[in-house]
């Protein structure tokens, strides 16, 4: 069957992605320290109130950057996407069996995908199976300079938004809270400053009209 799609080949994907940039002991008290002094000790309650004040501090705005966007982009239909993947030598009949079957379902059904690692292997399947391959040219700026190194160092994270745009992005002290607005079309690549070092990104995405959205991790 004639392939009607213009595929980004693995080599092309590598050029778009990898060529763009692709770990004291407490002080002991002496006897003199144990003797009461004329100075009053700081009450424990004061320390507790300080911790409470920090916990109740207002959310912090998270620095983020839309490093790539195609406002008019639309996902292929499921039939067109499936046909294209089957005709792609990388997938073919393997698309109908595990592990590709589950991966395809995962990335195709999600509109929000996050990454805390960078590399060709950490992008190839999400790019193809999500349908983002038809807009891959928009992500090139996301991997310029030291951005790839910053992702792998844990100081930068990435999120793809399909059919959504960022309305608000804050750090509550425990989680990133992202508020998004639905759009009739569009593909956006967001990179943001990490304010924690957790193994799993503590992120909650809320739709502006209410409700919590699911997010898929693209990390392997």
């Amino acid at each position: 069957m004639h392939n009607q799609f213009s595929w980004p080949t693995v080599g092309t994907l590598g050029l778009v992605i990898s060529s763009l940039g692709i770990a004291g002991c407490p002080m002991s008290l002496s006897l003199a320290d144990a003797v009461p002094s004329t100075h009053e000790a700081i009450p424990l309650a004061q320390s507790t109130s300080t911790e409470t004040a920090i916990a109740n501090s207002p959310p912090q705005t998270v620095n983020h950057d839309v490093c790539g966007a195609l406002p008019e982009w639309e996902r292929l239909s499921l039939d067109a996407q499936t046909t294209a993947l089957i005709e792609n030598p990388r997938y073919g009949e393997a698309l109908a069996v595990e592990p590709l079957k589950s991966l395809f379902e995962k990335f195709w059904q999600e509109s929000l995908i996050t990454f805390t690692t960078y590399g060709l292997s950490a992008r190839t399947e999400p790019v193809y199976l999500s349908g983002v391959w038809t807009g891959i040219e928009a992500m090139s700026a996301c991997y310029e300079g030291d951005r790839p190194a910053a992702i792998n160092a844990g100081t930068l994270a990435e999120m793809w938004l399909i059919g959504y745009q960022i309305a608000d992005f804050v750090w509550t002290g425990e989680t990133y809270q992202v508020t998004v607005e639905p759009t009739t079309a569009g593909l956006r690549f967001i990179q943001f400053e990490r304010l924690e070092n957790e193994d799993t990104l503590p992120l909650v995405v809320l739709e502006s009209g209410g409700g919590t959205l699911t997010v898929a991790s693209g990390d392997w």
Side-chain angles (χ1 to χ4, degrees):
M1 181 183 297
H2 177 67
N3 189 343
Q4 59 181 313
F5 300 99
S6 177
W7 284 101
T9 63
V10 174
T12 301
L13 186 64
L15 287 175
V16 173
I17 297 178
S18 58
S19 68
L20 292 171
I22 309 256
C25 296
M27 182 183 299
S28 59
L29 294 177
S30 65
L31 181 61
D33 293 321
V35 177
S37 68
T38 56
H39 300 286
E40 293 184 3
I42 299 176
L44 180 60
Q46 179 174 330
S47 175
T48 302
S49 64
T50 301
E51 293 174 357
T52 302
I54 293 174
N56 294 333
S57 60
Q60 173 185 350
T61 298
V62 177
N63 294 326
H64 62 281
D65 172 43
V66 182
C67 54
L70 292 174
E72 305 302 320
W73 181 89
E74 293 184 16
R75 244 176 181 163
L76 295 174
S77 67
L78 177 57
D79 287 344
Q81 166 76 349
T82 302
T83 298
L85 291 179
I86 290 175
E87 292 180 351
N88 185 339
R90 180 180 180 84
Y91 300 108
E93 295 181 358
L95 192 68
V97 298
E98 300 297 348
L100 287 179
K101 180 180 179 181
S102 294
L103 283 176
F104 183 22
E105 292 174 356
K106 169 187 174 181
F107 290 121
W108 182 256
Q109 293 174 5
E110 294 294 348
S111 297
L112 304 166
I113 305 172
T114 62
F115 298 87
T116 58
T117 57
Y118 171 81
L120 185 58
S121 61
R123 294 294 184 275
T124 302
E125 303 326 331
V127 163
Y128 282 120
L129 301 181
S130 67
V132 167
W133 63 271
T134 62
I136 192 174
E137 71 279 1
M139 67 165 59
S140 60
C142 298
Y143 308 117
E144 293 177 344
D146 60 358
R147 289 178 186 247
I151 294 174
N152 284 330
T155 59
L156 199 66
E158 184 170 314
M159 179 164 64
W160 300 352
L161 295 89
I162 299 173
Y164 286 97
Q165 63 184 4
I166 298 288
D168 190 36
F169 202 146
V170 298
W171 170 251
T172 67
E174 296 181 347
T175 62
Y176 300 100
Q177 183 171 297
V178 185
T179 304
V180 298
E181 298 174 341
T183 57
T184 56
L187 172 63
R188 294 168 177 83
F189 302 102
I190 310 294
Q191 290 183 340
F192 59 94
E193 176 187 9
R194 293 191 65 177
L195 301 174
E196 40 62 52
N197 57 2
E198 302 293 333
D199 293 334
T200 301
L201 202 62
L203 182 142
V204 175
V205 179
L206 306 173
E207 194 167 13
S208 55
T212 303
L213 300 175
T214 59
V215 182
S217 171
D219 295 316
W220 287 64

